[in-house]
């Protein structure tokens, strides 16, 4: 039996609003597709990768930002958006890898909990590939991937009718000063970090994408096909 295929949709820097629009198009495409009885090797969805073009604060289904806070953040020059993902407030900006898998979990034989664990495993393996052996996922409420008491990768997903959206945000060379204006993910007393901060050198998003894709293929037991490949 052939492994399920996932379409790789890789962008460079792009506005966050454009990523959400791209995600919505893939959601509609998957929702209109046949169910899990699709033939072996059929596409299970898409892996959307990009780097945010500008600073954006987002809130999740549990909120995280009051109207006053949203006005204050906009005054800093950032965009502020409410999203349908799980979790509270976080920040996205240049120097960050955004990964939004839009997947039919049934075709991958996964449940939502194992999908979240797989995303965490991908981020841990990426950190390890860079020599950061202390990266780990933590039990709730500490979602994401951590290096000590500092979070390097935030995770927040949405799932409806077995189809996922949103995903992870991994700090490569992100300006961490933007996080000082919020309580990231509502976790008081914890900090944030980046690969550049930990490795004491500039780590670009482009640099980490190849090891991330390798980790994704092995963790999700799928093949990745480029966006312009024939169906």
């Amino acid at each position: 039996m052939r492994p399920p295929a996932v379409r790789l949709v890789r962008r460079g820097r792009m506005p966050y609003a454009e990523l959400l629009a791209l995600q919505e198009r893939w959601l509609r495409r998957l929702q209109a597709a046949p169910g899990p009885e699709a033939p072996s090797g059929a596409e299970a969805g898409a892996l959307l990768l990009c780097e945010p073009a500008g600073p954006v604060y987002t809130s999740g289904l549990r909120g995280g930002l009051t109207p006053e806070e949203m006005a204050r953040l906009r005054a800093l020059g950032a965009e502020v958006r409410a999203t349908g993902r799980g979790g509270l407030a976080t920040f996205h900006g240049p120097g960050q890898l955004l990964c939004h898998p839009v997947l039919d979990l049934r075709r991958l034989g996964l449940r939502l909990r194992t999908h979240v664990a797989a995303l965490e495993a991908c981020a841990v393996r990426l950190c390890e590939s860079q020599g950061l052996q202390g990266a780990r996922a933590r039990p709730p409420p500490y979602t994401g991937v951590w290096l000590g008491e500092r979070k390097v990768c935030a995770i927040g997903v949405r799932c409806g009718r077995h189809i996922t959206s949103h995903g992870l945000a991994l700090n490569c060379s992100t300006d961490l000063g933007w996080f000082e204006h919020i309580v990231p993910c509502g976790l008081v007393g914890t900090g944030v970090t980046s690969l550049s901060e930990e490795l004491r050198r500039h780590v670009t998003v482009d640099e980490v994408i190849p090891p991330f894709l390798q980790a994704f293929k092995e963790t999700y037991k799928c093949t990745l096909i480029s966006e312009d490949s024939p169906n």
Side-chain angles (χ1 to χ4, degrees):
M1 179 180 293
R2 289 182 296 161
V6 174
R7 182 78 54 167
L8 174 60
V9 183
R10 180 176 173 178
R11 300 287 188 263
R13 284 196 177 189
M14 70 185 303
Y16 189 74
E18 291 184 15
L19 171 62
L20 293 182
L22 179 63
Q23 176 178 263
E24 184 61 30
R25 290 195 294 273
W26 273 96
L27 277 170
R28 290 197 299 267
R29 177 172 172 174
L30 270 191
Q31 288 163 355
E37 68 280 356
S40 170
E43 285 187 33
L47 175 62
L48 314 181
L49 297 181
C50 78
E51 178 181 357
V56 184
Y57 291 97
T58 64
S59 58
L61 289 173
R62 294 163 55 201
L65 294 173
T66 66
E68 294 76 18
E69 288 172 323
M70 294 171 71
R72 175 175 57 81
L73 297 173
R74 289 192 176 102
L76 297 173
E79 185 180 354
V80 181
R81 284 185 169 270
T83 71
R85 61 163 172 78
L88 294 167
T90 194
F91 170 78
H92 302 306
Q96 192 178 68
L97 171 63
L98 282 187
C99 162
H100 283 205
V102 184
L103 304 172
D104 187 330
L105 294 181
R106 296 169 296 182
R107 296 190 185 180
L108 292 160
L110 298 176
R111 296 181 180 273
L112 178 57
R113 184 174 297 180
T114 50
H115 167 56
V116 172
L119 281 177
E120 291 174 333
C122 289
V124 167
R125 288 186 57 180
L126 171 57
C127 290
E128 291 175 344
S129 76
Q130 303 301 303
L132 297 171
Q133 300 301 319
R136 73 193 194 283
R138 297 171 65 180
Y142 300 98
T143 58
V145 172
W146 298 73
L147 289 160
E149 292 299 313
R150 300 197 293 178
K151 181 183 280 191
V152 69
C153 177
I155 292 179
V157 302
R158 183 175 185 176
C159 187
R161 300 193 315 189
H162 306 281
I163 297 174
T164 68
S165 57
H166 297 278
L168 66 76
L170 189 140
N171 298 325
C172 299
S173 55
T174 319
D175 180 354
L176 301 178
W178 288 100
F179 287 96
E180 297 174 2
H181 303 286
I182 59 172
V183 179
C185 304
L187 298 174
V188 178
T190 61
V192 293
T193 190
S194 68
L195 297 180
S196 295
E197 179 82 6
E198 298 296 324
L199 295 170
R200 297 291 187 262
R201 65 176 181 84
H202 186 72
V203 179
T204 68
V205 170
D206 285 344
E207 178 183 345
V208 304
I209 285 180
F212 178 81
L213 294 179
Q214 186 63 34
F216 187 91
K217 287 188 293 185
E218 294 176 2
T219 303
Y220 280 83
K221 297 180 174 59
C222 67
T223 59
L224 290 173
I225 52 178
S226 63
E227 186 179 15
D228 55 359
S229 296
N231 289 318

